[in-house]
């Protein structure tokens, strides 16, 4: 289990009441309320029973990967994923995550399509995108330190589905990433809209964080033991190797060419 001081008792022990379903999701995603000792909050509940089988991931394992991604996020100290636990609910065991209300300002978008060949200052190019009627536009993302941290985290957890809709700007300048079920595969599955730093040197902060993560994942450590509860032994070893590889290379990864580099749909 995660350290209790990092998880609100409301999330672990609160009474879970289903209020609705998020229909556009590929797996069962339920919007719920939590109530515990006079405290209330909203959350997302993804029951294992509602997961659709995937050929490249063990059945009934996506909820655990969501929790594993949260644990790694916490180990970095960046706090990029909302508090997430594995617990029982109305439809059995599942992932429960605090609901984050997005507060993105239309004046400060994180992603954009532009009719230019090169990104403007403060933006990073991702790829050309078809926008209909034979037209293409340049997909760009903000040159934002929060996004850059998330790009590093995605490389570590081997995120196969970093879409625009999975980025949640919140109050106080915080940025969260959500939907981390397809992560931690032993094969390179990185698919993301955050390729803008590909091939560029990692920041000094990222190198320091990755060094701490490498030490924290050493065999016999508490974090390694926790990962072993959530993903397979081979995936834990692949996680260590990805961290070590990032430190050796010293740069943000580039698309491998062996796997689609951008998720579909991208939003």
């Amino acid at each position: 289990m995660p350290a209790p001081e990092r998880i609100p008792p409301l999330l672990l022990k609160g009474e879970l009441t289903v209020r609705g379903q998020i229909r556009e999701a590929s797996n069962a995603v339920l919007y719920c309320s939590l109530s515990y000792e006079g405290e209330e909050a909203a959350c997302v509940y993804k029951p294992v029973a509602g997961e659709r089988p995937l050929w490249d991931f063990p059945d009934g394992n996506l909820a655990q990967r969501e929790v594993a991604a949260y644990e790694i996020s916490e180990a970095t100290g960046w706090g990029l994923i909302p508090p997430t636990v594995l617990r029982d609910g109305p439809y059995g065991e599942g992932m429960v995550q605090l609901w984050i209300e997005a507060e993105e300002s239309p004046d400060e978008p994180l992603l954009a399509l532009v009719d230019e060949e090169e990104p403007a200052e403060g933006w990073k190019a991702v790829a050309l995108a078809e926008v209909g009627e034979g037209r293409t536009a340049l997909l760009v993302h903000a040159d934002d330190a929060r996004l850059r941290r998330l790009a590093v985290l995605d490389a570590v957890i081997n995120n196969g589905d970093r879409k625009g809709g999975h980025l949640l700007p919140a109050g106080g300048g915080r940025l969260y990433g959500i939907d981390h079920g397809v992560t931690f595969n032993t094969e390179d599955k990185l698919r993301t809209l955050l390729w803008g730093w590909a091939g560029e040197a990692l920041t000094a902060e990222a190198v320091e964080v990755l060094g701490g993560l490498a030490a924290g994942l050493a065999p016999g450590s508490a974090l390694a033991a926790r990962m072993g509860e959530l993903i397979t032994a081979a995936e834990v070893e692949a996680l260590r190797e990805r961290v070590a590889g990032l430190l050796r290379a010293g740069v943000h990864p580039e698309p491998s060419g062996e796997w689609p580099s951008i998720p579909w749909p991208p939003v």
Side-chain angles (χ1 to χ4, degrees):
M1 289 294 291
E5 64 272 13
R6 292 194 284 109
I7 300 291
L10 176 66
L11 193 63
L12 285 168
K13 303 177 182 179
E15 181 180 355
L16 200 60
T17 303
V18 177
R19 302 298 184 186
Q21 183 175 3
I22 300 174
R23 297 275 181 190
E24 59 267 25
S26 56
N27 297 293
V29 181
L30 304 176
Y31 177 75
C32 302
S33 62
L34 284 164
S35 179
Y36 181 71
E37 295 186 344
E39 189 178 0
E40 295 186 353
C43 70
V44 170
Y45 166 46
K46 298 182 181 180
V48 170
E51 294 180 7
R52 297 170 63 181
L54 296 174
W55 67 269
D56 49 352
F57 288 88
D59 289 351
N61 189 245
L62 303 188
Q64 290 172 236
R65 293 169 192 277
E66 296 247 25
V67 178
Y70 167 72
E71 295 286 352
I72 294 298
S73 169
E74 289 298 287
T76 66
W78 284 334
L80 295 170
I81 298 176
T84 309
V85 299
L86 195 68
R87 55 161 285 183
D88 196 31
Y91 298 103
E93 185 178 64
M95 183 282 285
V96 177
Q97 184 177 83
L98 282 183
W99 178 267
I100 300 297
E101 201 66 52
E103 297 184 6
E104 182 174 6
S105 167
D107 297 327
E108 297 179 0
L110 296 174
L111 296 162
L113 284 168
V114 297
D115 292 321
E116 306 290 343
E117 294 184 358
E118 297 293 334
E121 184 177 356
W123 293 88
K124 290 286 188 178
V126 179
L128 286 172
E130 294 185 8
V131 293
E133 299 180 354
R135 292 179 56 246
T136 60
L138 184 64
L139 176 63
V140 297
H141 65 68
D143 188 1
D144 185 300
R146 301 168 303 169
L147 285 181
R148 193 165 189 173
R149 290 170 181 164
L150 197 57
V152 173
L153 177 67
D154 283 343
V156 167
I157 65 176
N158 197 14
N159 190 355
D161 197 31
R162 175 60 71 207
K163 297 176 180 176
H166 299 168
L167 304 172
L168 299 181
R174 295 291 300 270
L175 176 70
Y176 291 100
I178 60 169
D179 284 349
H180 298 100
V182 286
T183 48
F184 296 103
N185 202 291
T186 56
E187 299 180 11
D188 182 5
K189 300 281 188 179
L190 186 58
R191 292 195 303 175
T192 176
L193 292 182
L194 304 180
W195 287 116
W197 298 282
E200 292 188 19
L202 294 167
T203 65
E205 177 196 41
V207 171
E208 181 179 359
V209 165
L210 289 168
L213 194 55
L217 285 167
S221 69
L223 182 58
R226 178 59 176 151
M227 289 297 103
E229 296 171 354
L230 298 166
I231 58 178
T232 69
E235 288 165 343
V236 175
E237 184 56 35
L239 169 62
R240 292 192 186 101
E241 291 173 0
R242 284 194 299 274
V243 174
L246 286 165
L247 285 168
R248 284 195 302 272
V251 298
H252 287 266
E254 298 182 81
S256 67
E258 299 176 359
W259 179 255
S261 62
I262 295 178
W264 185 262
V267 177

